[in-house]
Amino acid sequence: MYQSDEKGLFAIQQVADMTGLSKQVIRKWEERYGVIQPKRLENGYRIYSQQDVKTLLKIKLLSEQGHSLKQAAMLAKEIDEDPVPVQMENSPRYEQWNEYVLQLLEKGRHCDEIELNFILKQALHHVGIERFLTTIVVPFLKEVGRKWESHEWDEYQESVSSLVVRDFLVQIRRNYQYRENVPFVLGACLPTEQHEVPLHLILLRFMMKGWKTQLIGASPAPGAIESLVCKLKPDVVLLSATTAIPFETDPQLLQRLDQFAEKQTDIAFYLGGQGAVTYLSDYKPRAIHVTNSIDDILK
């Protein structure tokens, strides 16, 4: 198979994997609407640029929004040519995706753990940790989530991609060398909370600011958070709930944690995540600060 080179060129099968379009559909759109003009190798095989991939994604999205394929192709051309592009409803930021994001989507579709890890290592080495997180990891995970919610990817494709990224982020933190006497932050998912990747991303932000970090994994046992806080004595505790399930499962959970936090006078407690923000419209904790902004904590 033709592999992407330093100019970001892809074979048609790679483009099919990235976009979710069949090779037949890609050729049909190319020939019928002229929206892309791939180059050809000496052997006649088509090779596509990053912009070609993004154009195909735009047409796909526009058609999903109710436009005919002909209208979608015309709008995609306008978007590419107009310095003030037409706005697309609920549009993922295709224009901000780089080659690494596209490659990860290709390998994620095939659940290729080895290649996913290889691309992540390359990307981290080439762009540095801050850009790696903001321009590669976050866009990739958002698109993985969208593909799973829209049933474009199955549960296994979503799970493999998310777990590979999670494990990679864990290794970055574990291999980081801390100085002595630095502040210590403990991240904790609430019981029944399964989404720990957002906490890994936040803890890496703390790590880059010089903090020592540790994470209590997904869905800790009842009482585990309190026990580890007493044992480890962190300076800051970050609690996370992306859904309201932890509070619905245990209606007294937040009240117990808030009462516990009140007794830890030397430790600052923060709670974030969409589930927490939604649930806390009915309960206002006294000792736990509610925020979705890491900058509020790092000040």
Side-chain angles (χ1 to χ4, degrees):
M1 176 185 290
Y2 179 81
Q3 294 294 322
S4 170
D5 66 8
E6 69 278 3
K7 296 182 180 179
L9 300 175
F10 305 98
I12 191 169
Q13 182 60 60
Q14 292 175 297
V15 176
D17 293 336
M18 294 169 186
T19 61
L21 301 169
S22 70
K23 291 187 289 185
Q24 291 78 12
V25 166
I26 293 170
R27 293 192 189 100
K28 180 179 178 181
W29 288 4
E30 172 194 341
E31 295 166 0
R32 180 170 296 182
Y33 305 112
V35 290
I36 54 175
Q37 297 179 342
K39 299 178 181 178
R40 287 183 180 265
L41 299 176
E42 292 181 359
N43 57 15
Y45 290 148
R46 295 171 171 86
I47 52 173
Y48 299 80
S49 67
Q50 293 183 48
Q51 188 56 48
D52 290 335
V53 176
K54 293 173 183 178
T55 298
L56 291 169
L57 287 167
K58 289 170 191 169
I59 297 172
K60 180 182 177 183
L61 178 61
L62 287 163
S63 66
E64 290 171 352
Q65 292 175 352
H67 297 280
S68 69
L69 284 176
K70 183 176 181 180
Q71 290 173 327
M74 292 177 62
L75 284 170
K77 283 185 178 180
E78 291 179 20
I79 292 168
D80 288 339
E81 297 171 358
D82 193 336
V84 184
V86 177
Q87 294 298 312
M88 299 166 64
E89 296 177 8
N90 302 317
S91 172
R93 295 185 175 181
Y94 296 139
E95 292 302 329
Q96 296 183 12
W97 288 0
N98 52 47
E99 182 183 354
Y100 292 115
V101 176
L102 295 172
Q103 289 179 337
L104 288 169
L105 290 171
E106 176 203 349
K107 303 307 179 184
R109 183 175 185 272
H110 292 286
C111 303
D112 191 333
E113 296 183 36
I114 294 176
E115 285 297 317
L116 284 168
N117 265 298
F118 179 74
I119 295 165
L120 291 170
K121 289 178 183 177
Q122 271 194 324
L124 178 61
H125 175 73
H126 287 166
V127 305
I129 187 167
E130 188 165 0
R131 287 185 59 202
F132 172 71
L133 296 176
T134 58
T135 68
I136 297 168
V137 172
V138 171
F140 174 59
L141 289 176
K142 284 183 177 180
E143 181 62 9
V144 168
R146 189 199 67 78
K147 286 180 179 294
W148 177 74
E149 289 178 357
S150 66
H151 306 291
E152 190 173 329
W153 278 15
D154 60 31
E155 186 174 345
Y156 187 65
Q157 290 169 309
E158 185 275 336
S159 177
V160 168
S161 296
S162 298
L163 288 176
V164 167
V165 172
R166 183 203 68 181
D167 292 346
F168 192 82
L169 298 179
V170 169
Q171 289 303 314
I172 293 176
R173 288 197 302 105
R174 286 180 177 170
N175 293 329
Y176 187 77
Q177 299 296 314
Y178 297 100
R179 296 180 179 179
E180 294 292 332
N181 301 318
V182 296
F184 173 32
V185 56
L186 176 67
C189 294
L190 295 183
T192 72
E193 172 60 58
Q194 299 292 335
H195 299 87
E196 62 180 271
V197 172
L199 265 179
H200 284 294
L201 294 170
I202 293 171
L203 290 178
L204 281 166
R205 291 275 306 277
F206 273 86
M207 185 194 78
M208 289 186 286
K209 295 291 185 179
W211 288 61
K212 177 182 177 181
T213 66
Q214 188 165 332
L215 175 68
I216 303 175
S219 191
I225 294 173
E226 297 93 323
S227 176
L228 282 171
V229 168
C230 291
K231 180 178 180 180
L232 299 176
K233 300 295 184 183
D235 298 286
V236 171
V237 175
L238 302 179
L239 304 172
S240 176
T242 60
T243 71
I245 293 175
F247 312 112
E248 294 168 352
T249 303
D250 182 357
Q252 301 302 314
L253 172 64
L254 185 55
Q255 185 176 353
R256 288 200 308 274
L257 286 172
D258 195 30
Q259 291 172 350
F260 172 76
E262 279 189 292
K263 298 176 183 177
Q264 316 306 313
T265 56
D266 295 330
I267 302 174
F269 286 76
Y270 293 88
L271 174 62
Q274 190 57 47
V277 172
T278 301
Y279 179 81
L280 288 177
S281 60
D282 298 325
Y283 178 84
K284 305 299 181 185
R286 292 175 294 181
I288 298 176
H289 307 282
V290 181
T291 180
N292 271 337
S293 172
I294 188 174
D295 295 327
D296 292 343
I297 306 171
L298 287 170
K299 285 179 180 179

